Amino acid sequence: GINIIIPILILCIPTTALFTSDMKIFFAITAAAIILIATENIPTGATALILPITYIIFLGVDASVAFKPWSMEIPWLVVAGFLITAVLEKTGLMKRLAYNSILLTGGSFKGIIVGILLTGTILSFLIADVTAKAVLIGALALSICKALNLELGNRAASAIGATAWMAVSGTSYLVYTGSTGNLVPFGLAGNMGVQIPSYVQYMLHMFVPQLVYIIICTVVILLIFKPEKEIESKEYFKQEKDKLGKVKVDEWKVIVIAAALIIAILTSSLHGISVGWLFVIAAFIMFLPGIKLADSKDFTQVKFPVVLFITACLCIGIVSNTLGVGQFVADIFKPILEGSPVKMLAGVWGLSWVSNFALTPLAAYSAFTTPLVETATALGINPIPVMQNNIQKVVFGRENNIQK
């Protein structure tokens, strides 16, 4: 019902000199797509697959515009991230990393919590999609609960679950490539000519504030979910680590490739290769003869519906910018948000909070990034803090979804 009613109502709105026929059709198509994604009446991947085609057919948008997201680094970076995730799991390096992190932090209950967070932080440098990281961290958290005979729902298990959520979502915003929640809005803003922070600049801006947020959340988890009795698990993790044996050749290969990738990312301003392409190169190297860390079977671990969804979100933003939709919406918001940077940021925070109830995070980013950038630019405000405000607020909705 709602999938059809809302687009029809949009099509019934009279056009004006500012609200053109193309804009009306764009809003109707986009609303239908977002509702289908939100309600999941049909698979998200199917909706994402058809969306650019509808823009081409009904709006006459050039294919080079509708499919421009595929010429950007973001979808390829995500694919590479899934492949790297598969290799980390297949080689056993993920388990070794987790066990060493927990033992390094003492092996006690607090050590488990800090160790899981440390594991998530390290993975954020290598994996660009929260879904891929959730698979690894979620499996780790569940295995720890089962191994320690923790009943799901008790304080200790709840603490581990909440920590897994923080290790997946909270740590993803420590670095630029840690989440598609960064990549999509920054990619859209970059397409509009906004000067996007480099990987190192992003870390200088966000690493410490996000780390403080993670530390505060960790303290809250330890206080609220303090277990009824002391949990000493050091011996268990030591045994599990011993089962893995010495570091295998394949694990050393992954370590060397990962180290080279991080160094290349941090020096990208020197060699000029975009971060996304560096991830793809790293994933490709894993398939080379003599290295053979990955094979054709690992492509089955790539969640292509997620990749399609990301490109669809980018497509919405790019097409809206081409049609002037962003400027149209910005003209509506400008009188409400103008006055001061604080008023602008407060208004964006409120808008982002409300969007959590109706949109998925990536859908919210694709819907609001272009108008927010246009509005900030028109008001003479740096759009980067405005975007960060939007990203961080929408993150709360995203984290709630992951926790559930």
Side-chain angles (χ1 to χ4, degrees):
I2 191 174
N3 299 332
I4 300 174
I5 293 173
I6 291 182
I8 289 176
L9 289 176
I10 292 174
L11 291 173
C12 291
I13 299 174
T15 58
T16 65
L18 297 176
F19 185 64
T20 65
S21 176
D22 280 350
M23 287 185 185
K24 180 165 67 173
I25 295 171
F26 169 82
F27 279 119
I29 292 173
T30 305
I34 290 175
I35 292 169
L36 283 172
I37 290 170
T39 59
E40 296 184 339
N41 286 334
I42 64 174
T44 298
T47 303
L49 182 68
I50 197 65
L51 181 62
I53 308 299
T54 59
Y55 289 147
I56 292 172
I57 294 174
F58 295 106
L59 287 171
V61 173
D62 194 273
S64 62
V65 174
F67 290 106
K68 186 174 182 179
W70 291 103
S71 69
M72 300 168 69
E73 61 185 295
I74 297 171
W76 305 107
L77 190 157
V78 173
V79 171
F82 277 116
L83 292 171
I84 293 171
T85 301
V87 171
L88 284 171
E89 190 170 19
K90 184 168 66 174
T91 59
L93 187 59
M94 166 61 195
K95 288 184 178 180
R96 191 181 299 278
L97 170 64
Y99 297 153
N100 279 323
S101 297
I102 293 171
L103 288 171
L104 182 66
T105 51
S108 62
F109 177 71
K110 291 181 181 178
I112 293 174
I113 300 301
V114 176
I116 292 174
L117 286 170
L118 182 58
T119 303
T121 300
I122 295 172
L123 291 179
S124 293
F125 286 87
L126 302 174
I127 301 175
D129 185 76
V130 171
T131 304
K133 194 161 66 166
V135 171
L136 296 177
I137 297 294
L140 171 66
L142 187 59
S143 66
I144 290 174
C145 289
K146 287 182 177 179
L148 300 180
N149 295 316
L150 301 177
E151 294 183 9
L152 297 183
N154 71 15
R155 287 186 179 182
S158 298
I160 291 173
T163 303
W165 148 67
M166 180 57 61
V168 170
S169 187
T171 61
S172 294
Y173 294 88
L174 290 168
V175 294
Y176 174 67
T177 57
S179 170
T180 49
N182 275 334
L183 298 174
V184 169
F186 278 121
L188 290 172
N191 186 65
M192 297 173 65
V194 175
Q195 186 65 39
I196 301 302
S198 67
Y199 190 95
V200 175
Q201 288 173 331
Y202 179 91
M203 286 188 67
L204 292 174
H205 293 165
M206 292 302 299
F207 191 89
V208 172
Q210 190 68 14
L211 185 61
V212 171
Y213 165 69
I214 292 170
I215 292 172
I216 293 172
C217 288
T218 303
V219 172
V220 171
I221 290 171
L222 289 171
L223 290 175
I224 294 178
F225 298 113
K226 185 177 180 180
E228 296 84 352
K229 59 181 181 179
E230 186 64 29
I231 295 176
E232 184 57 52
S233 55
K234 186 173 184 178
E235 191 59 34
Y236 164 74
F237 289 109
K238 189 174 184 303
Q239 290 174 0
E240 290 300 307
K241 178 188 172 184
D242 290 341
K243 287 180 184 178
L244 294 174
K246 294 182 178 180
V247 181
K248 301 176 182 65
V249 174
D250 281 352
E251 292 178 81
W252 278 117
K253 292 178 183 177
V254 178
I255 291 170
V256 171
I257 293 172
L261 172 60
I262 292 172
I263 292 171
I265 289 171
L266 295 175
T267 58
S268 60
S269 60
L270 299 177
H271 53 68
I273 303 176
S274 295
V275 171
W277 306 140
L278 293 173
F279 272 87
V280 176
I281 292 169
F284 173 74
I285 290 173
M286 292 178 175
F287 287 90
L288 291 176
I291 296 179
K292 292 185 179 179
L293 290 169
D295 54 39
S296 58
K297 294 179 182 178
D298 292 308
F299 279 103
T300 61
Q301 302 301 312
V302 179
K303 298 186 183 300
F304 284 104
V306 173
V307 180
L308 288 170
F309 177 51
I310 291 168
T311 57
C313 290
L314 289 167
C315 177
I316 290 172
I318 291 170
V319 171
S320 71
N321 188 44
T322 302
L323 296 176
V325 173
Q327 185 60 56
F328 171 75
V329 177
D331 290 340
I332 296 174
F333 281 124
K334 185 178 176 181
I336 302 172
L337 299 177
E338 66 182 348
S340 71
V342 174
K343 184 179 178 181
M344 172 81 180
L345 292 175
V348 171
W349 193 95
L351 176 66
S352 303
W353 181 77
V354 171
S355 72
N356 284 330
F357 294 95
L359 303 175
T360 64
L362 287 183
Y365 297 142
S366 63
F368 296 124
T369 296
T370 300
L372 289 177
V373 169
E374 294 275 11
T375 304
T377 303
L379 295 175
I381 298 173
N382 185 348
I384 297 298
V386 176
M387 289 173 56
Q388 286 287 15
N389 190 28
N390 180 41
I391 291 170
Q392 291 297 315
K393 184 63 203 86
V394 173
V395 164
F396 285 106
R398 179 176 199 153
E399 290 175 346
N400 288 336
N401 290 337
I402 291 173
Q403 193 173 21
K404 291 175 183 177

